[in-house]
Amino acid sequence: MPPNDQGPISVGIDIGSTATKAVVLTDRVLGQAVTPTGWDPKKAGLQVLDEALEAAGVAQDRVGAIIGTGYGRISLPIFTRRVTEITCHALGAHFLHPATRTVIDIGGQDCKVIALDEQGAVSDFIMNDKCAAGTGRFLQVMAASLDVSLEELGALAATAEPVPLSSMCTVFAESEVIGLLARGVEKAGIAAGIIDTIARRLHCLAGKVPLRDSVIFTGGIAQNCDICEKIAASLSTELHVPACPQFVGALGAALIGHEITTSFSPE
């Protein structure tokens, strides 16, 4: 059935600090797109909108609502509504896995633990957005210190016991890693220690918002299976990872748009 015959169409755009994502939705996902945010969140938002609509085979004038989320949601004037990423991640995770009671999200510049009720509404949350510790940026800096990619970092970490790192601060941890390398400590153990540091940061957050089954892991870092396994083991919990974990926030935004377009659609 052509998209034009499927009823109201909505778009969710999640402008994150590292990547910008878009999802086109009716009663199902019609298309999606992702691009690096770079230095121009507005340009990135318009780009993923065009690419997601093209992937869906939908003209923009068919879209009933465009919902913005993420740190760059203020950058585009085309949004029907702007919604926090906390709400959008909760809705997207609940849609994909209705049993979800906890969402762990590691973004480029923050990490968050979100508790959900049975309807998928946010009952509590805690966010680390004042420090890079435990974020995607932290992992990028640490990987660069080891001269490996993020994918290689996870694979290395899976092969060794963690070498303890005393600092969660990105600046001090980077200096510590450089010092360990200078003393001849193997990269694999340092990589495992880096992932263990992420897990310890999440433990701190989860102490304020306890992890309740079922736990969904979202964000771009969740695409790395080795890192997921290390974090799950450190947290002593099972992590459910959606097929496209970095699109969960954009999906939640699109679901809000779908509710708006459905409410205003003629009988």
Side-chain angles (χ1 to χ4, degrees), residues 75-189:
S75 61
L76 280 181
I78 61 173
F79 291 141
T80 308
R81 183 180 298 175
R82 295 172 177 84
V83 183
T84 69
E85 57 265 40
I86 299 295
T87 297
C88 290
H89 274 83
L91 287 172
H94 179 75
F95 178 82
L96 293 172
H97 189 58
T100 299
R101 294 297 175 269
T102 306
V103 177
I104 293 176
D105 179 75
I106 298 180
Q109 293 186 1
D110 65 39
C111 57
K112 39 195 172 281
V113 178
I114 309 167
L116 281 62
D117 64 19
E118 294 182 357
Q119 286 72 46
V122 176
S123 59
D124 198 4
F125 75 92
I126 185 75
M127 177 188 291
N128 164 42
D129 60 355
K130 305 299 183 185
C131 170
T135 69
R137 177 60 180 162
F138 175 86
L139 282 174
Q140 287 176 335
V141 171
M142 295 301 103
S145 298
L146 293 178
D147 194 26
V148 298
S149 67
L150 279 178
E151 291 72 22
E152 292 168 331
L153 180 72
L156 273 176
T159 65
E161 290 299 312
V163 173
L165 299 180
S166 60
S167 179
M168 291 188 192
C169 171
T170 303
V171 175
F172 293 136
E174 182 181 17
S175 296
E176 190 173 357
V177 166
I178 292 171
L180 289 169
L181 290 171
R183 297 204 305 270
V185 178
E186 293 293 328
K187 283 186 178 182

Side-chain angles (χ1 to χ4, degrees), residues 232-253:
S234 296
L235 292 175
S236 300
T237 190
E238 182 180 3
L239 296 179
H240 300 277
V241 180
C244 300
Q246 67 187 137
F247 285 97
V248 173
L251 173 61

Side-chain angles (χ1 to χ4, degrees), residues 22-43:
V23 169
V24 182
L25 185 74
T26 55
D27 56 345
R28 60 186 177 86
V29 174
L30 296 178
Q32 57 191 36
V34 59
T35 192
T37 300
W39 297 103
D40 192 341
K42 180 178 180 180
K43 179 180 178 181

Side-chain angles (χ1 to χ4, degrees), residues 191-229:
I194 290 167
I195 305 304
D196 189 61
T197 298
I198 294 281
R200 282 191 287 134
R201 185 61 177 175
L202 289 172
H203 258 304
C204 292
L205 294 179
K208 299 179 180 179
V209 180
L211 301 179
R212 296 186 299 152
D213 290 339
S214 172
V215 183
I216 296 288
F217 186 25
T218 67
I221 298 300
Q223 297 175 105
N224 190 308
C225 296
D226 293 312
I227 292 179
C228 288
E229 290 177 6

